[in-house]
Amino acid sequence: MRDAGPVALTPGDTRWRYSSTRGRGKQASTSSRCRPSPGAVSDVRRRAGAVLAAWRVSPDVVEDALLVVSELLTNAIVHALPPAVLRLVWTRNAGLGTLRVEVTDAGPAGQPPAGIDPDEHGRGEEIVHALASRYGIETRPGAVIRWADLVTV
């Protein structure tokens, strides 16, 4: 993996790291906040696609990863307290690549928003589980982190 230089997920956001992981391969990561506004998820999804392209992640993984990004961010915006923060970590080791998609929020917001049709929502977790090699939820004081790993050869 070559250093592709800084790639911003949000305008002016150049928090991007590229480092060796103690002889176990190479790793790149970036993060971005997502505000609960119309179009926010699609904007972050588009920027995430640019980051993954710069990291030369396999197009097959990128397609699945962008769907996972959309599902996890939408879940955080609709059902949790802000902010929703997306973090992407790409690790290459011995020919294998692992992309971790993490979305952190401030915990459950309580009642779901009015007007949500249960027939149109509620499948995001199933989609993430189907696409990810591994997935999980971590809770910390004031934060919930939902993550999914996608692995490529």
Side-chain angles (χ1 to χ4, degrees):
M1 184 169 98
R2 288 184 32 230
D3 183 350
V7 179
L9 269 177
T10 57
D13 179 6
T14 56
R15 291 172 294 162
W16 187 84
R17 294 179 292 153
Y18 176 82
S19 62
S20 174
T21 55
R22 289 177 247 144
R24 295 181 304 218
K26 302 253 183 206
Q27 182 178 74
S29 68
T30 190
S31 64
S32 177
R33 286 179 179 237
C34 184
R35 290 176 172 52
S37 61
V41 172
S42 60
D43 288 345
V44 172
R45 179 183 162 114
R46 187 174 42 257
R47 289 187 202 107
V51 168
L52 298 176
W55 290 346
R56 297 183 182 175
V57 176
S58 163
D60 294 337
V61 172
V62 170
E63 187 176 326
D64 289 349
L66 294 179
L67 185 51
V68 170
V69 164
S70 293
E71 294 300 334
L72 293 180
L73 273 176
T74 299
N75 184 64
I77 288 172
V78 171
H79 299 289
L81 297 171
V85 179
L86 169 67
R87 181 171 179 252
L88 301 173
V89 180
W90 175 239
T91 306
R92 297 275 311 162
N93 185 24
L96 293 177
T98 301
L99 178 67
R100 172 156 290 194
V101 177
E102 291 182 1
V103 173
T104 303
D105 59 56
Q111 296 289 355
I116 298 235
D117 181 356
D119 291 334
E120 294 294 320
H121 295 277
R123 295 190 234 6
E125 200 170 297
E126 292 173 18
I127 292 169
V128 171
H129 294 181
L131 296 174
S133 302
R134 293 180 303 265
Y135 53 87
I137 299 173
E138 297 175 29
T139 56
R140 299 180 182 157
V144 176
I145 303 165
R146 288 172 177 78
W147 59 269
D149 287 346
L150 293 95
V151 178
T152 183
V153 180

Coordinates of all heavy atoms in Angstrom, one line a residue, residues 64-144:
D64 N -19.5 -2.8 -1.0 CA -20.1 -3.3 0.3 C -19.9 -2.3 1.4 O -20.8 -2.1 2.2 CB -19.5 -4.7 0.6 CG -20.0 -5.8 -0.3 OD1 -20.9 -5.6 -1.1 OD2 -19.4 -6.9 -0.2
A65 N -18.7 -1.8 1.5 CA -18.3 -0.8 2.6 C -19.2 0.4 2.5 O -19.7 0.9 3.6 CB -16.9 -0.4 2.5
L66 N -19.5 0.9 1.4 CA -20.3 2.1 1.3 C -21.8 1.8 1.7 O -22.4 2.7 2.3 CB -20.3 2.7 -0.1 CG -18.9 3.3 -0.5 CD1 -18.9 3.8 -1.9 CD2 -18.4 4.3 0.5
L67 N -22.2 0.6 1.4 CA -23.6 0.2 1.9 C -23.5 0.1 3.5 O -24.4 0.6 4.1 CB -24.0 -1.1 1.3 CG -25.4 -1.6 1.6 CD1 -26.4 -0.5 1.4 CD2 -25.7 -2.8 0.8
V68 N -22.5 -0.4 4.0 CA -22.3 -0.5 5.5 C -22.2 0.9 6.1 O -22.9 1.1 7.1 CB -21.1 -1.4 5.9 CG1 -20.8 -1.3 7.3 CG2 -21.3 -2.9 5.5
V69 N -21.5 1.8 5.5 CA -21.4 3.1 6.0 C -22.8 3.8 6.0 O -23.2 4.4 7.0 CB -20.4 4.0 5.1 CG1 -20.6 5.5 5.3 CG2 -19.0 3.6 5.3
S70 N -23.5 3.6 4.9 CA -24.9 4.2 4.9 C -25.8 3.7 6.0 O -26.5 4.4 6.6 CB -25.5 3.9 3.5 OG -24.8 4.6 2.5
E71 N -25.7 2.3 6.1 CA -26.6 1.7 7.1 C -26.3 2.1 8.6 O -27.1 2.5 9.3 CB -26.6 0.2 7.0 CG -27.2 -0.3 5.7 CD -28.6 0.1 5.5 OE1 -29.4 0.3 6.4 OE2 -29.0 0.1 4.3
L72 N -25.0 2.1 8.9 CA -24.6 2.4 10.3 C -24.8 3.9 10.6 O -25.2 4.3 11.7 CB -23.1 2.0 10.5 CG -22.8 0.5 10.5 CD1 -21.3 0.3 10.8 CD2 -23.7 -0.2 11.5
L73 N -24.5 4.8 9.6 CA -24.7 6.2 9.8 C -26.2 6.6 9.9 O -26.6 7.3 10.8 CB -24.1 7.0 8.7 CG -22.6 7.4 8.8 CD1 -22.1 8.1 7.6 CD2 -22.3 8.2 10.1
T74 N -27.0 6.0 9.1 CA -28.4 6.3 9.1 C -29.0 5.8 10.4 O -29.8 6.5 11.1 CB -29.1 5.6 7.9 OG1 -28.6 6.1 6.7 CG2 -30.6 5.8 8.0
N75 N -28.6 4.6 10.9 CA -29.0 4.1 12.2 C -28.7 5.1 13.3 O -29.5 5.4 14.2 CB -28.4 2.8 12.5 CG -28.9 2.2 13.8 OD1 -30.1 1.9 13.9 ND2 -28.1 2.0 14.7
A76 N -27.4 5.6 13.3 CA -27.0 6.6 14.3 C -27.8 7.9 14.3 O -28.1 8.4 15.3 CB -25.5 6.8 14.2
I77 N -28.0 8.4 13.1 CA -28.7 9.7 12.9 C -30.2 9.5 13.4 O -30.7 10.4 14.0 CB -28.6 10.2 11.5 CG1 -27.1 10.7 11.3 CG2 -29.6 11.3 11.2 CD1 -26.8 11.0 9.9
V78 N -30.8 8.4 13.0 CA -32.3 8.2 13.2 C -32.5 7.8 14.7 O -33.5 8.3 15.3 CB -32.9 7.2 12.3 CG1 -34.3 6.9 12.6 CG2 -32.8 7.8 10.8
H79 N -31.7 7.0 15.3 CA -32.0 6.4 16.5 C -31.1 6.8 17.7 O -31.4 6.3 18.8 CB -31.9 4.8 16.4 CG -32.9 4.3 15.4 ND1 -34.3 4.3 15.6 CD2 -32.7 3.8 14.2 CE1 -34.8 3.8 14.5 NE2 -33.9 3.4 13.6
A80 N -30.1 7.6 17.5 CA -29.2 7.9 18.6 C -29.0 9.4 18.7 O -29.3 10.2 17.9 CB -27.8 7.2 18.3
L81 N -28.3 9.7 19.9 CA -28.0 11.1 20.1 C -26.7 11.5 19.3 O -25.8 10.6 19.2 CB -27.7 11.3 21.6 CG -28.9 11.0 22.5 CD1 -28.5 11.0 24.0 CD2 -30.0 12.1 22.3
P82 N -26.7 12.7 18.9 CA -25.5 13.1 18.1 C -24.3 13.3 19.1 O -24.5 13.4 20.3 CB -25.9 14.5 17.5 CG -27.1 14.9 18.3 CD -27.7 13.7 18.9
P83 N -23.1 13.4 18.5 CA -22.8 13.4 17.1 C -22.6 11.9 16.6 O -22.3 11.0 17.4 CB -21.5 14.1 17.0 CG -20.8 13.8 18.3 CD -21.9 13.7 19.3
A84 N -22.8 11.7 15.3 CA -22.4 10.4 14.7 C -21.1 10.6 14.1 O -20.9 11.6 13.3 CB -23.5 10.1 13.6
V85 N -20.1 9.8 14.4 CA -18.8 9.9 13.9 C -18.4 8.6 13.2 O -18.5 7.5 13.7 CB -17.7 10.2 15.0 CG1 -16.3 10.3 14.5 CG2 -18.1 11.4 15.8
L86 N -18.0 8.8 11.9 CA -17.6 7.7 11.1 C -16.1 7.6 11.2 O -15.4 8.6 11.1 CB -18.0 7.9 9.6 CG -17.4 6.9 8.6 CD1 -17.9 5.5 8.8 CD2 -17.6 7.4 7.2
R87 N -15.6 6.3 11.3 CA -14.1 6.1 11.3 C -13.9 4.9 10.4 O -14.6 3.9 10.5 CB -13.6 5.8 12.7 CG -12.1 5.5 12.7 CD -11.6 5.4 14.2 NE -10.2 5.2 14.2 CZ -9.7 4.0 14.6 NH1 -10.4 3.0 15.0 NH2 -8.4 3.9 14.6
L88 N -13.0 5.1 9.4 CA -12.6 4.0 8.5 C -11.1 3.7 8.8 O -10.3 4.6 8.9 CB -12.7 4.5 7.1 CG -14.0 4.9 6.6 CD1 -14.0 5.5 5.2 CD2 -15.0 3.8 6.6
V89 N -10.8 2.4 8.9 CA -9.5 1.9 9.1 C -9.2 0.8 8.1 O -9.9 -0.2 8.0 CB -9.2 1.4 10.5 CG1 -7.8 0.9 10.7 CG2 -9.6 2.4 11.6
W90 N -8.1 1.0 7.3 CA -7.7 0.0 6.2 C -6.4 -0.5 6.6 O -5.4 0.2 6.8 CB -7.7 0.7 4.9 CG -7.1 -0.1 3.7 CD1 -6.1 0.2 3.0 CD2 -7.7 -1.3 3.2 NE1 -5.9 -0.7 2.0 CE2 -6.9 -1.7 2.1 CE3 -8.8 -2.0 3.5 CZ2 -7.2 -2.8 1.3 CZ3 -9.1 -3.2 2.8 CH2 -8.3 -3.5 1.7
T91 N -6.4 -1.9 6.8 CA -5.1 -2.5 7.2 C -4.8 -3.6 6.1 O -5.7 -4.4 5.7 CB -5.3 -3.2 8.6 OG1 -5.8 -2.3 9.5 CG2 -4.0 -3.8 9.1
R92 N -3.5 -3.6 5.7 CA -3.0 -4.6 4.7 C -2.0 -5.4 5.5 O -1.1 -4.9 6.1 CB -2.4 -4.0 3.5 CG -3.3 -3.2 2.7 CD -4.1 -3.9 1.7 NE -3.4 -4.8 0.8 CZ -4.0 -5.8 0.1 NH1 -5.3 -6.0 0.2 NH2 -3.3 -6.6 -0.6
N93 N -2.1 -6.7 5.3 CA -1.1 -7.6 6.0 C -1.0 -8.9 5.2 O -2.0 -9.6 5.1 CB -1.4 -7.8 7.4 CG -0.4 -8.6 8.2 OD1 0.8 -8.6 7.8 ND2 -0.8 -9.3 9.2
A94 N 0.2 -9.3 4.7 CA 0.4 -10.6 4.1 C -0.6 -10.8 3.0 O -1.2 -11.9 2.9 CB 0.4 -11.7 5.1
G95 N -0.9 -9.8 2.2 CA -1.8 -10.0 1.0 C -3.3 -9.9 1.4 O -4.1 -9.9 0.5
L96 N -3.7 -9.8 2.6 CA -5.0 -9.6 3.0 C -5.3 -8.2 3.4 O -4.4 -7.5 4.0 CB -5.4 -10.5 4.2 CG -5.4 -12.0 3.9 CD1 -5.7 -12.8 5.2 CD2 -6.4 -12.4 2.9
G97 N -6.5 -7.7 3.1 CA -6.9 -6.4 3.5 C -8.1 -6.5 4.4 O -9.0 -7.2 4.1
T98 N -8.1 -5.7 5.4 CA -9.3 -5.6 6.3 C -9.7 -4.1 6.4 O -8.9 -3.3 6.8 CB -9.1 -6.1 7.7 OG1 -8.7 -7.5 7.6 CG2 -10.3 -6.0 8.6
L99 N -11.0 -3.8 6.1 CA -11.5 -2.5 6.2 C -12.5 -2.5 7.4 O -13.4 -3.3 7.4 CB -12.3 -2.1 5.0 CG -12.9 -0.7 5.1 CD1 -11.9 0.4 5.2 CD2 -13.9 -0.4 3.9
R100 N -12.2 -1.7 8.4 CA -13.1 -1.6 9.5 C -13.9 -0.3 9.4 O -13.3 0.8 9.1 CB -12.4 -1.5 10.9 CG -13.4 -1.2 12.0 CD -12.9 -1.6 13.3 NE -13.0 -3.1 13.4 CZ -12.9 -3.7 14.6 NH1 -12.8 -3.0 15.7 NH2 -13.0 -5.0 14.7
V101 N -15.2 -0.4 9.4 CA -16.1 0.7 9.4 C -16.7 0.8 10.8 O -17.3 -0.1 11.3 CB -17.3 0.5 8.4 CG1 -18.2 1.6 8.4 CG2 -16.7 0.3 7.0
E102 N -16.5 2.0 11.4 CA -17.0 2.2 12.8 C -17.9 3.5 12.8 O -17.5 4.5 12.2 CB -15.9 2.5 13.8 CG -15.0 1.4 14.1 CD -13.9 1.8 15.2 OE1 -13.9 2.9 15.6 OE2 -13.1 0.9 15.5
V103 N -19.0 3.4 13.5 CA -19.8 4.6 13.7 C -20.0 4.7 15.2 O -20.5 3.8 15.8 CB -21.1 4.6 12.9 CG1 -22.0 5.8 13.3 CG2 -20.9 4.6 11.4
T104 N -19.6 5.9 15.7 CA -19.8 6.1 17.2 C -20.9 7.2 17.3 O -21.0 8.2 16.6 CB -18.5 6.7 17.8 OG1 -17.5 5.7 17.5 CG2 -18.7 6.9 19.3
D105 N -21.8 7.0 18.3 CA -22.8 7.9 18.6 C -22.9 8.1 20.1 O -22.1 7.4 20.8 CB -24.2 7.6 18.0 CG -24.7 6.2 18.5 OD1 -24.8 6.0 19.7 OD2 -25.0 5.4 17.7
A106 N -23.7 9.0 20.6 CA -23.8 9.2 22.1 C -24.8 8.4 22.8 O -25.2 8.7 23.9 CB -24.0 10.7 22.3
G107 N -25.3 7.3 22.1 CA -26.3 6.4 22.8 C -27.7 6.6 22.3 O -28.0 7.6 21.6
P108 N -28.6 5.8 22.8 CA -30.0 5.8 22.3 C -30.7 7.2 22.6 O -30.5 7.8 23.6 CB -30.7 4.7 23.1 CG -29.6 3.9 23.6 CD -28.4 4.7 23.7
A109 N -31.5 7.6 21.6 CA -32.2 8.8 21.7 C -33.5 8.7 22.4 O -34.2 9.7 22.6 CB -32.4 9.5 20.3
G110 N -34.0 7.5 22.7 CA -35.3 7.3 23.3 C -36.3 6.8 22.2 O -36.0 5.8 21.5
Q111 N -37.4 7.5 22.1 CA -38.4 7.1 21.2 C -38.0 7.3 19.7 O -37.3 8.3 19.4 CB -39.7 8.0 21.4 CG -40.3 7.8 22.7 CD -41.0 6.4 22.8 OE1 -41.1 5.6 21.8 NE2 -41.5 6.1 24.0
P112 N -38.3 6.4 18.8 CA -38.0 6.6 17.4 C -38.7 7.8 16.9 O -39.8 8.1 17.4 CB -38.4 5.3 16.7 CG -39.1 4.5 17.7 CD -39.0 5.2 19.1
P113 N -38.2 8.5 15.9 CA -38.9 9.7 15.3 C -40.2 9.3 14.8 O -40.4 8.2 14.2 CB -37.9 10.1 14.2 CG -36.6 9.5 14.5 CD -36.9 8.2 15.3
A114 N -41.2 10.2 14.9 CA -42.5 10.0 14.3 C -42.4 9.9 12.8 O -41.6 10.5 12.2 CB -43.4 11.2 14.7
G115 N -43.4 9.1 12.3 CA -43.4 9.0 10.8 C -42.5 8.0 10.2 O -42.4 7.9 9.0
I116 N -41.9 7.2 11.0 CA -41.0 6.1 10.5 C -41.9 4.9 10.2 O -42.5 4.3 11.2 CB -39.8 5.8 11.4 CG1 -39.0 7.0 11.6 CG2 -39.1 4.5 11.0 CD1 -37.5 6.8 11.3
D117 N -41.9 4.4 9.0 CA -42.7 3.3 8.6 C -41.8 2.0 8.9 O -40.8 1.8 8.3 CB -43.1 3.3 7.2 CG -43.9 2.2 6.7 OD1 -44.1 1.2 7.5 OD2 -44.3 2.2 5.5
P118 N -42.3 1.1 9.8 CA -41.5 0.0 10.2 C -41.3 -1.0 9.0 O -40.3 -1.7 8.9 CB -42.2 -0.7 11.3 CG -43.6 -0.1 11.4 CD -43.5 1.2 10.6
D119 N -42.2 -0.9 8.0 CA -42.0 -1.7 6.8 C -40.8 -1.2 5.9 O -40.3 -2.0 5.1 CB -43.3 -1.8 6.0 CG -44.4 -2.6 6.7 OD1 -44.0 -3.5 7.5 OD2 -45.5 -2.3 6.4
E120 N -40.5 0.0 6.0 CA -39.4 0.6 5.2 C -38.1 0.7 6.0 O -37.1 1.1 5.4 CB -39.8 2.1 4.8 CG -41.0 2.1 3.9 CD -40.7 1.5 2.5 OE1 -39.6 1.7 2.0 OE2 -41.6 0.7 2.0
H121 N -38.1 0.4 7.2 CA -36.8 0.5 8.0 C -36.6 -0.8 8.8 O -37.5 -1.6 8.9 CB -36.9 1.7 9.0 CG -37.0 3.0 8.2 ND1 -35.9 3.7 7.8 CD2 -38.1 3.8 7.8 CE1 -36.2 4.8 7.1 NE2 -37.6 4.9 7.2
G122 N -35.4 -0.9 9.4 CA -35.2 -2.0 10.3 C -34.4 -3.1 9.7 O -34.1 -4.1 10.4
R123 N -34.0 -3.0 8.5 CA -33.2 -4.1 7.9 C -31.7 -3.7 7.8 O -30.9 -4.6 7.4 CB -33.7 -4.3 6.4 CG -35.1 -4.9 6.4 CD -35.4 -5.3 5.0 NE -36.6 -4.9 4.3 CZ -37.5 -4.0 4.5 NH1 -37.4 -3.3 5.5 NH2 -38.5 -3.8 3.7
G124 N -31.3 -2.6 8.3 CA -29.9 -2.2 8.2 C -28.9 -3.1 8.9 O -27.9 -3.5 8.4
E125 N -29.3 -3.6 10.1 CA -28.5 -4.5 10.9 C -28.3 -5.8 10.1 O -27.2 -6.3 10.1 CB -29.1 -4.7 12.3 CG -28.1 -5.2 13.3 CD -28.7 -5.2 14.7 OE1 -29.0 -4.1 15.2 OE2 -28.8 -6.3 15.2
E126 N -29.4 -6.3 9.5 CA -29.3 -7.5 8.8 C -28.4 -7.4 7.6 O -27.6 -8.3 7.2 CB -30.7 -8.0 8.3 CG -31.6 -8.4 9.4 CD -33.0 -8.7 8.9 OE1 -33.2 -8.8 7.6 OE2 -33.9 -8.7 9.7
I127 N -28.4 -6.2 6.9 CA -27.5 -6.0 5.8 C -26.1 -5.9 6.2 O -25.2 -6.6 5.6 CB -27.9 -4.6 5.1 CG1 -29.3 -4.8 4.4 CG2 -26.9 -4.2 4.1 CD1 -29.9 -3.5 3.9
V128 N -25.8 -5.2 7.3 CA -24.4 -5.2 7.8 C -23.9 -6.6 8.2 O -22.8 -7.0 7.8 CB -24.4 -4.2 9.0 CG1 -23.0 -4.3 9.7 CG2 -24.6 -2.8 8.6
H129 N -24.7 -7.4 8.8 CA -24.3 -8.7 9.2 C -24.1 -9.6 8.0 O -23.2 -10.4 8.0 CB -25.4 -9.4 10.1 CG -25.6 -8.7 11.4 ND1 -26.5 -9.1 12.3 CD2 -25.0 -7.6 12.0 CE1 -26.4 -8.4 13.4 NE2 -25.5 -7.4 13.2
A130 N -24.8 -9.4 6.9 CA -24.7 -10.2 5.7 C -23.4 -9.8 5.0 O -22.7 -10.7 4.4 CB -25.9 -10.0 4.8
L131 N -23.0 -8.6 5.0 CA -21.8 -8.1 4.3 C -20.5 -8.2 5.0 O -19.4 -8.4 4.4 CB -22.0 -6.7 3.8 CG -23.2 -6.4 2.9 CD1 -23.3 -4.9 2.6 CD2 -22.9 -7.2 1.6
A132 N -20.5 -8.2 6.3 CA -19.3 -8.1 7.1 C -18.8 -9.5 7.5 O -19.6 -10.4 7.7 CB -19.6 -7.3 8.4
S133 N -17.5 -9.6 7.6 CA -16.8 -10.8 8.1 C -17.0 -10.9 9.6 O -17.2 -12.0 10.1 CB -15.4 -10.8 7.7 OG -15.2 -10.7 6.4
R134 N -16.9 -9.8 10.2 CA -17.1 -9.6 11.7 C -17.8 -8.3 11.9 O -17.7 -7.4 11.2 CB -15.8 -9.6 12.4 CG -15.0 -10.9 12.3 CD -13.7 -10.8 13.1 NE -12.8 -9.7 12.6 CZ -11.9 -9.8 11.7 NH1 -11.6 -11.0 11.2 NH2 -11.2 -8.8 11.3
Y135 N -18.6 -8.3 13.0 CA -19.3 -7.1 13.4 C -19.6 -7.1 14.9 O -19.5 -8.1 15.5 CB -20.6 -6.9 12.6 CG -21.5 -8.1 12.7 CD1 -22.4 -8.3 13.8 CD2 -21.4 -9.2 11.8 CE1 -23.2 -9.4 13.9 CE2 -22.2 -10.3 11.9 CZ -23.1 -10.4 13.0 OH -23.9 -11.5 13.1
G136 N -19.9 -5.9 15.4 CA -20.2 -5.9 16.8 C -20.6 -4.5 17.3 O -20.6 -3.5 16.5
I137 N -20.8 -4.4 18.6 CA -21.2 -3.2 19.3 C -20.4 -3.1 20.5 O -20.3 -4.1 21.3 CB -22.7 -3.2 19.6 CG1 -23.6 -3.3 18.4 CG2 -23.0 -1.9 20.4 CD1 -25.0 -3.4 18.6
E138 N -19.8 -2.0 20.8 CA -19.1 -1.7 22.0 C -19.8 -0.5 22.7 O -20.2 0.4 22.0 CB -17.6 -1.3 21.7 CG -16.8 -2.4 21.1 CD -15.4 -1.9 20.7 OE1 -14.9 -1.0 21.4 OE2 -14.8 -2.4 19.7
T139 N -19.9 -0.6 24.0 CA -20.5 0.5 24.7 C -19.4 1.0 25.7 O -18.7 0.3 26.3 CB -21.8 0.1 25.5 OG1 -21.5 -1.0 26.3 CG2 -22.9 -0.3 24.5
R140 N -19.4 2.4 25.8 CA -18.5 3.1 26.7 C -19.4 4.2 27.3 O -20.4 4.5 26.8 CB -17.3 3.7 25.9 CG -16.5 2.7 25.3 CD -15.3 3.3 24.5 NE -14.6 2.3 23.9 CZ -13.8 2.5 22.9 NH1 -13.7 3.6 22.3 NH2 -13.1 1.4 22.3
P141 N -18.9 4.7 28.4 CA -19.7 5.8 29.0 C -19.9 7.0 28.0 O -19.0 7.5 27.4 CB -18.9 6.3 30.2 CG -18.0 5.1 30.5 CD -17.8 4.4 29.2
G142 N -21.2 7.2 27.7 CA -21.5 8.3 26.7 C -21.3 8.0 25.3 O -21.4 8.9 24.4
A143 N -21.0 6.7 24.9 CA -20.8 6.4 23.5 C -21.2 4.9 23.2 O -21.0 4.1 24.1 CB -19.3 6.6 23.2
V144 N -21.7 4.8 22.0 CA -21.9 3.4 21.5 C -21.2 3.4 20.1 O -21.3 4.3 19.3 CB -23.4 3.2 21.3 CG1 -23.7 1.8 20.6 CG2 -24.2 3.3 22.6

